[in-house]
């Protein structure tokens, strides 16, 4: 494995609410931060998956901007989570205060395309409501 010469740019915090894993991400972020986030979220998502299907929410602040390599890694991690950790839906939360918000759907399109249902919301509560509806539909 190659060792990066860059330090992680951006910050993240991971928490859960029921069967939902919530990542608060302050951008812009780079590949190194995405890798650190992946190492942090994997055991949490794996533990939740033992109890049932999992929903994921990304709450973005400051900036949505990142590199294509970082988005490629996010795509790989999402597909692995769908296959191994029972992730059944994802939601993104960002509003007009976030740099690049007008590009959000375009930025994330290739990440989610053909993988799991995804929606973007302006508030965390809207995202939680939608993700919980998706989880309930899977359990029904």
């Amino acid at each position: 494995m190659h060792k990066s010469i860059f330090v992680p740019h951006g910050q993240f915090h991971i928490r859960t609410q029921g069967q939902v894993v919530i990542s608060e991400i302050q951008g812009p972020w780079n590949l190194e931060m995405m890798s650190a986030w992946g190492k942090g979220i994997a055991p949490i998502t794996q533990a939740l998956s033992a109890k049932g299907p999992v929903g994921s929410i990304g709450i973005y602040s400051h900036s949505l901007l990142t590199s294509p390599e970082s988005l490629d890694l996010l795509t790989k991690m999402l597909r692995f989570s769908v296959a191994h950790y029972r992730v059944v839906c994802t939601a993104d939360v960002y509003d007009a205060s976030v740099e690049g918000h007008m590009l959000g759907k375009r930025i994330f399109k290739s990440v989610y395309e053909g993988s799991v249902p995804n929606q973007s919301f302006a508030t965390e509560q809207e995202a939680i409501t939608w993700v919980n509806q998706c989880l309930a539909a899977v359990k029904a």
Side-chain angles (χ1 to χ4, degrees):
M1 178 185 252
H2 107 269
K3 184 172 169 100
S4 175
I5 60 172
F6 297 107
V7 298
H9 298 164
Q11 298 177 6
F12 67 89
H13 173 75
I14 303 166
R15 59 187 164 90
T16 61
Q17 183 174 321
Q19 284 299 108
V20 182
V21 61
I22 301 169
S23 300
E24 297 174 29
I25 301 168
Q26 181 182 358
W29 68 92
N30 63 1
L31 181 62
E32 290 74 14
M33 198 234 45
M34 183 60 61
S35 180
W37 171 82
K39 290 175 184 169
I41 198 170
I44 295 167
T45 307
Q46 184 179 25
L48 285 180
S49 72
K51 300 174 191 168
V54 177
S56 178
I57 298 175
I59 301 172
Y60 297 89
S61 63
H62 197 302
S63 179
L64 287 177
L65 304 181
T66 189
S67 67
E69 296 83 10
S70 184
L71 290 175
D72 288 345
L73 179 58
L74 178 59
T75 301
K76 289 175 187 170
M77 289 188 293
L78 174 64
R79 295 191 192 294
F80 184 89
S81 295
V82 168
H84 299 282
Y85 300 151
R86 303 174 70 184
V87 171
V88 298
C89 63
T90 63
D92 297 309
V93 178
Y94 52 87
D95 61 23
S97 70
V98 179
E99 179 185 38
H101 72 277
M102 296 293 287
L103 302 172
K105 290 186 183 201
R106 190 175 330 154
I107 289 170
F108 293 119
K109 181 180 179 186
S110 65
V111 173
Y112 301 119
E113 201 166 54
S115 185
V116 293
N118 169 262
Q119 290 287 326
S120 296
F121 300 94
T123 70
E124 179 179 346
Q125 190 53 55
E126 290 173 309
I128 289 171
T129 299
W130 180 79
V131 167
N132 282 325
Q133 288 171 347
C134 290
L135 290 170
V138 170
K139 291 178 184 176

